[in-house]
């Protein structure tokens, strides 16, 4: 009889939902400060869109929620926010360039549910379409760092790992990997963190791929690479210079083994990682995707945060202030109607206010308000009504004072004192 | 080759998406000022939950997106936010009462797509669970009115139609409708606005239902009803008295023909209607729903706005200010890196700022900024760099002035002058 959430999906009860919203609001505020604008697309998309080569591919059918509607249309729940973005840009050539959009929305994967791995989760994405400038790559990374800092992470608590897919390709070729084997080689390298160097080496050998590359990928200083004076190398160096000029170099580290799974990346890629913790976001340049969806050639770069990942790591330490500052308690039947009016007036002052709807006694009401973290209660009984006042009690200090009903704005000042 | 949105679903391009978000933000601000707290539930639910008797019923299968996942689980996309709320409250007995929650989220109906009728749309819901007090019904209506006013609707532009399901039942019985025919009778009455009195009268007759009731439903003053001195009548009168005491009576009108389709309503019901326009929201009391989902008896009352309906009627008149106040234009290669820093500093002042990422000339950049409604451009070339200043140009007046780079906070003052 007891109903549950669908396997791999979760409810966010109020306290957690408020923290999740605070994280999303913080992302949005930073995105908007850089002039990213919102875009909303449906959660349901045509399966053909999701399964297009270059993004999901036909194999995606097994990894997503796929179904047919009553007219036999093949549909699916979106697995990211990038593919719908590519569709919108491909089919709306009137959009001014650069098109800087953000989106915060739910996406779906039909993974095997695991600890901290959900079938429904929320992504916050920001992308710049139409600019091939390295400044765009830089700005996307700068936004990621701004968001992390605004969320309260210290600089010592996270870092951004950066690489270049093009440089990685040159290193591979330079290390004897055949051009036809490069994609396969990347897929192996992507597992480095998960299965370790030994296993990756074994896998590369089995596939007949030269393993020299593994040594090159451990290099931390670009000058020590075999590859010299190539365009992708210079680009990565220039990005690091820009980051340094802006005092961000300590947060950013080159990680030549970072390949990132998705096939659509074409240039610089990055991942935001918590120190000794999971990746909370990542992205890169994908200059061919809009074209793949029938649009005109459109350079593009973007990044995505996993909101649940951020929530998991922030939740415990995060204390949000109660939005409600005053709980109004009518004492006796006659006080109810005047209290409704008083509560409305307090709200008009911009002060969050809750009114007793349970007809409880003073003691129980104070208990309820205290448990919710509401700092003040306003008590109005016959005595107060006669004197045209209310009794305002500070639940932390226990102190109480009378406030004239004609002078309600005084409540604002009292409530805002810390 | 060109991909489209799924039939019955739509994209919200940035200008519209920003307006939609503004409406959602406004709802949320008012909800929170009354101490409603957020709850987030998955969009996918078990079909058994959606099809439960008393909410959707088995027939709902034809009206929703229904599908099986790869393990054969019967699932569906939620068709409202109330059924998931009932599930959460039924399965989380630890939640304190009253439980005042809001939710703003997407819901799905497999209707025949029509003008302004979408298969994916957004609802904003606010509900109070655990209070049987009429104050709760009143508060839900007060929130609806506050939201409408905050959205900019004048009092002359909307009204709230109110009725009581219990009173309607008494009127029906009093007019000779048999108890076994009451539900059927309500279903006919629900069509009054759509097909008119004549057609409804015909339908009632065909079903063998007494048509006297139609006359009673046109009564606007409760004292004129045949039904006298009944509890539901007194309740409705008391609600009107409370509304009057709070100066809201002009916005609220009794409409005895309002039945509202959903079977789960048990008491007062209402609808928010635009003058000569569509309903933009509605709700009522549903005291039996949580119990139907296996929870303990829980009186409940709530309401829901249709965000797209509000957007359709507000969109044209709504002018949102550009969040970006300054567009930074580097002139020449050398200015680029300093401009990145200047833009970052302006953002740190809390001023939305965009930087040229296209390496365009001054003229084209000004054109782009102006088109986006950005009020100021900051120009930095070699001359400016030499003098450690930037040129700040007001795009509306055409006036420009120099601002010292050391005195960037001055930009804040200039930008905020209207």
């Amino acid at each position: 009889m007891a109903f549950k959430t669908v396997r791999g999906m979760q409810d966010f009860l109020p306290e957690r939902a408020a923290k999740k919203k605070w994280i999303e609001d913080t992302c949005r505020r930073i995105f908007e400060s850089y002039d990213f604008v919102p875009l909303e697309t449906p959660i349901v998309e045509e399966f053909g869109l999701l399964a297009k080569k270059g993004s999901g591919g036909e194999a995606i059918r097994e990894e997503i929620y796929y179904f047919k509607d009553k007219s036999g249309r093949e549909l699916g729940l979106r697995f990211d926010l990038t593919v719908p973005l590519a569709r919108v840009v491909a089919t709306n050539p009137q959009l001014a360039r650069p098109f800087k959009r953000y989106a915060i929305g739910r996406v779906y994967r039909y993974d095997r549910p695991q600890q901290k791995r959900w079938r429904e989760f929320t992504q916050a994405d920001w992308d710049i379409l139409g600019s091939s400038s390295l400044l765009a790559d830089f700005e996307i990374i700068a936004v990621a760092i701004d968001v992390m800092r605004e969320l309260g992470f210290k600089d010592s608590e996270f870092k951004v790992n950066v690489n270049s897919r093009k440089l990685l390709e040159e290193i591979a070729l330079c290390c004897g990997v055949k051009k036809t084997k490069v994609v396969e080689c990347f897929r192996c390298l992507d597992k480095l963190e998960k299965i370790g160097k030994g296993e990756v080496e074994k896998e590369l050998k089995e596939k007949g791929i030269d393993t020299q590359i593994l040594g090159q990928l451990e290099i931390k200083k670009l000058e020590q690479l075999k590859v010299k004076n190539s365009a992708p190398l210079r680009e990565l160096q220039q990005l690091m210079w820009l980051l340094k000029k802006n005092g961000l170099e300590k947060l950013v580290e080159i990680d030549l083994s970072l390949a990132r799974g998705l096939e659509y990346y074409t240039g610089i890629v990055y991942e935001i990682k918590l120190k000794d913790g999971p990746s909370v976001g990542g992205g890169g340049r994908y200059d061919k995707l809009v074209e793949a969806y029938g649009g005109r050639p459109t350079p593009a770069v973007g990044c995505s945060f996993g909101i649940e990942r951020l929530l998991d790591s922030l939740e415990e330490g995060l204390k949000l202030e109660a939005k409600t500052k005053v709980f109004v308690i009518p004492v006796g039947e006659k006080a109810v109607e005047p209290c409704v009016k008083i509560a409305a007036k307090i709200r008009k002052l911009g002060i969050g206010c809750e009114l007793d709807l349970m007809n409880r006694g003073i003691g129980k009401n104070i208990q309820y308000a205290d448990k919710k973290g509401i700092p003040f209660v306003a008590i109005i009984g016959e005595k107060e009504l006669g004197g045209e006042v209310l009794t305002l009690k500070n639940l932390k200090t226990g102190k109480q004072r009378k406030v004239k009903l004609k002078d309600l704005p005084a409540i604002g000042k009292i409530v805002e004192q810390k």
Side-chain angles (χ1 to χ4, degrees), chain A residues 8-10 65 106-109 118-122 308:
Chain A
M9 305 196 182
Q10 62 180 325
Y65 283 92
R106 305 195 196 190
V107 300
Y108 298 81
R109 310 255 169 106
W118 299 97
R119 285 182 171 177
E120 178 187 59
F121 55 100
T122 304
E308 284 81 357

Side-chain angles (χ1 to χ4, degrees), chain A residues 37 39 85 88-99 129 296:
Chain A
V37 292
L39 173 71
L85 169 64
V88 167
V89 173
T91 54
N92 288 278
Q94 82 283 6
L95 292 168
R97 312 294 174 105
F99 181 56
L129 289 100
R296 56 183 157 114

Side-chain angles (χ1 to χ4, degrees), chain A residues 26-46:
Chain A
T26 303
C27 290
R28 186 177 156 192
R29 184 161 47 80
I30 300 297
F31 297 162
E32 289 182 346
S33 78
Y34 280 81
D35 205 34
F36 288 82
V37 292
L39 173 71
E40 278 192 35
T41 62
I43 282 170
V44 183
E45 293 276 5
E46 285 180 9

Side-chain angles (χ1 to χ4, degrees), chain A residues 113-118:
Chain A
Q114 295 166 22
Q115 181 68 3
K116 310 273 173 202
R117 206 172 178 117
W118 299 97

Side-chain angles (χ1 to χ4, degrees), chain A residues 200-244:
Chain A
V200 170
E201 194 166 2
K202 223 166 80 185
E203 232 180 75
L204 286 172
K205 275 185 189 156
E206 278 166 18
K207 293 182 195 277
I209 297 171
D210 199 309
T211 60
Q212 266 190 76
I213 187 168
L214 288 171
Q216 287 284 300
L217 298 190
E218 286 169 358
I219 288 171
K220 292 288 172 200
K221 294 198 169 163
L222 293 174
E223 313 83 65
Q224 297 169 2
L225 281 175
K226 274 192 193 177
V227 173
K228 303 277 179 210
N229 199 25
S230 83
L233 178 61
R234 277 197 307 274
E235 192 186 51
L236 195 52
Q237 282 168 327
Q238 208 190 334
L239 176 67
M240 295 308 284
W241 175 80
L242 257 174
L243 288 161
K244 192 173 175 181

